[in-house]
Amino acid sequence: MLAELKALLADPALQDCDPPPAVDYAMFFDGNTDEESLAPNQWGYGRPPMAELYARFAQIAQRPDVERVLVGLHYDWDDPLFAEGFPPAENVHIFTTASAAEAEAWIDGLEADGVIEGWPYGKPCNAPEPSAGYAVLSVCWD
């Protein structure tokens, strides 16, 4: 998936995307073993490995009350330092009909700072709109 992710992020329209782009969770997590690419401050302090994060968000994506799961990239996503590996990410966005309180239970044990309603830094330029009846909830880490 890294090649597909790199191809998507090579789109010139995303180079000046503010806030940074968001990508499908599977594209970000599949094959990603870079433990520093998401919530690096919690890695080694209770945050599960990337493979477990992927499995948990895959379960969430399969819920009947979830339309989509996206990973919001960090502002440094296009830094040449990350050219060879996965770009750093900041948060995970869930399009759902569930409440933030319900979603908090879904992320128990991920060492996240919580679930908030909406986009923490504004809607990424490439993010779709949720379907009618769905809202964006964001899982955030420090």
Side-chain angles (χ1 to χ4, degrees):
M1 282 290 198
L2 181 57
E4 290 177 46
L5 178 59
K6 295 287 186 178
L8 172 74
L9 295 176
D11 182 345
L14 298 182
Q15 301 313 302
D16 294 321
C17 193
D18 186 29
V23 298
D24 183 79
Y25 80 97
M27 190 174 283
F28 180 80
F29 284 109
D30 190 15
N32 187 348
T33 58
D34 180 357
E35 298 298 345
E36 299 290 317
S37 63
L38 179 65
N41 294 343
Q42 280 79 18
W43 175 239
Y45 298 96
R47 196 214 77 205
M50 293 298 284
E52 287 184 40
L53 291 173
Y54 184 20
R56 182 74 68 86
F57 285 112
Q59 288 175 339
I60 291 169
Q62 297 303 310
R63 294 179 55 86
D65 52 354
V66 170
E67 177 181 32
R68 177 184 316 260
V69 177
L70 300 173
V71 173
L73 299 184
H74 188 274
Y75 276 95
D76 292 338
W77 72 272
D78 59 350
D79 188 302
L81 178 67
F82 306 111
E84 298 303 315
F86 282 83
E90 186 78 16
N91 39 51
V92 175
H93 310 293
I94 304 168
F95 291 20
T96 183
T97 57
S99 69
E102 290 173 288
E104 285 280 349
W106 306 344
I107 64 160
D108 185 51
L110 299 186
E111 291 303 311
D113 291 325
V115 174
I116 64 168
E117 295 180 9
W119 308 98
Y121 305 110
K123 182 179 177 277
C125 65
N126 70 327
E129 292 292 333
S131 295
Y134 287 83
V136 176
L137 298 179
S138 295
V139 181
C140 301
W141 287 266
D142 179 18

